[in-house]
Amino acid sequence: MIDKNFYLENLTAFDVLIGADRIEAEKAIFKVYCILQRDKYWLNNVATPEEIGEEDAELLEGVELELKELDQEHGFRFADFHELVMKEIETGGSGIAAIAEQDDDLLGFGDDDEDFDEEDEFEDDDDDEFEEDTSNKMGDFTDEELNLVVDYILNSAKKSFGYDQFAASFPDATMEFIDDQVLLYIIARKAYGEPDEEIAVTLAETFELNGFEIENEELLALTTKLGKDFSKEILAFGIAMDSLQQGTHPVDVVAHISNLI
């Protein structure tokens, strides 16, 4: 269950990035923090003694200690972040603890001991029909649940710059177009590391298809500016998408990122 390579790779990535690109470094280190909370919960509340490796507890303790040292050095405010997570676990409701009780598979803690009829046999050629990709658990949630996360990030972004003035510059555009196809698109693509030039090219095509004339250079400048204005939202989006794919409930994801934006 606990992936040692994940921690090694992301902590190494942080060390490489922190001197040159703090935003990308923060993405890596907060990803480590989110997965650490999941693994700690699994280790302490879900795993059976047979499932726990000899080095699992030692690994998580070492990672947590390293995060505390990095927090002191770089001011990531992990203590506030941790308090929010623990509050969700303790209060239950739609939090992590309640979700785990209702459906362990949601957090990736499924029970391997499923009941099968011993007489059931499957031909080798049919095995593929029963194989599913369970690495991305975002599909476990409804659109309404996922929109809780997206709307939270988008509303924060709209407060980070002159939204009303920007929207007024396109009087014929709908709010959905501005919010979803411009602002949210920039946040999402920046979170996944797409260059500003490529984002601007796609935006130019989107604007043209919707009947708006705007120069590519202007869109490039806009993308660069909003990338700076939305730095916290871009970081939060990356963390949120990773957490959702790992199976963290959208309500808990909002709680996790609420201290970032």
Side-chain angles (χ1 to χ4, degrees):
M1 176 61 194
I2 295 177
D3 186 354
K4 181 178 181 180
N5 288 333
F6 165 83
Y7 290 108
L8 293 176
E9 290 172 1
N10 282 277
L11 288 172
T12 300
F14 172 83
D15 290 337
V16 172
L17 291 168
I18 189 60
D21 192 335
R22 182 178 173 95
I23 291 179
E24 291 299 321
E26 287 182 349
K27 289 181 185 178
I29 206 63
F30 273 94
K31 183 187 297 184
V32 169
Y33 181 86
C34 290
I35 299 305
L36 175 64
Q37 304 315 304
R38 185 200 67 175
D39 286 349
K40 285 172 59 181
Y41 184 83
W42 175 81
L43 186 69
N44 296 321
N45 299 279
V46 178
T48 63
E50 293 77 16
E51 293 175 315
I52 300 175
E54 295 181 0
E55 299 180 354
D56 286 344
E58 183 178 349
L59 170 64
L60 297 188
E61 289 176 3
V63 172
E64 187 165 33
L65 178 60
E66 184 167 355
L67 289 181
K68 289 181 179 179
E69 294 174 351
L70 292 174
D71 189 15
Q72 293 176 353
E73 182 178 355
H74 299 285
F76 292 129
R77 299 173 64 192
F78 284 133
D80 295 337
F81 202 68
H82 179 77
E83 184 178 351
L84 282 172
V85 175
M86 291 301 101
K87 186 179 296 184
E88 284 295 318
I89 292 176
E90 292 171 358
T91 56
S94 59
I96 296 174
I99 294 169
E101 290 176 0
Q102 296 169 7
D103 188 353
D104 284 344
D105 289 337
L106 203 58
L107 289 175
F109 307 145
D111 188 353
D112 292 331
D113 297 328
E114 299 183 22
D115 294 329
F116 291 102
D117 190 334
E118 293 182 358
E119 296 181 358
D120 288 344
E121 295 182 359
F122 302 97
E123 297 294 336
D124 291 341
D125 293 341
D126 295 334
D127 287 346
D128 291 341
E129 297 180 9
F130 300 93
E131 293 180 0
E132 296 181 1
D133 181 9
T134 59
S135 60
N136 187 340
K137 297 182 179 296
M138 196 179 297
D140 292 345
F141 309 119
T142 66
D143 289 344
E144 290 76 12
E145 289 173 325
L146 294 174
N147 283 339
L148 291 174
V149 178
V150 174
D151 290 345
Y152 188 85
I153 294 174
L154 184 59
N155 288 334
S156 174
K158 291 164 70 172
K159 298 175 184 177
S160 301
F161 80 120
Y163 175 80
D164 292 338
Q165 182 179 357
F166 177 75
S169 62
F170 300 97
D172 296 328
T174 64
M175 186 173 66
E176 289 182 351
F177 172 78
I178 293 175
D179 290 357
D180 298 340
Q181 298 192 50
V182 181
L183 303 185
L184 187 59
Y185 180 80
I186 291 175
I187 292 171
R189 299 326 303 168
K190 293 282 287 185
Y192 289 117
E194 187 170 326
D196 290 353
E197 292 78 8
E198 294 182 12
I199 296 174
V201 169
T202 304
L203 284 176
E205 296 173 353
T206 300
F207 272 92
E208 184 177 357
L209 288 173
N210 285 272
F212 301 107
E213 293 185 5
I214 183 169
E215 296 295 330
N216 188 73
E217 291 76 9
E218 187 176 349
L219 287 172
L220 178 57
L222 174 67
T223 301
T224 301
K225 178 184 181 301
L226 292 183
K228 296 177 180 178
D229 292 340
F230 298 163
S231 59
K232 293 182 179 180
E233 287 76 19
I234 292 168
L235 171 62
F237 187 92
I239 294 172
M241 292 303 105
D242 185 74
S243 298
L244 290 169
Q245 290 170 4
Q246 294 289 339
T248 305
H249 194 277
V251 171
D252 294 303
V253 173
V254 170
H256 294 172
I257 64 176
S258 64
N259 202 45
L260 300 177
I261 56 179

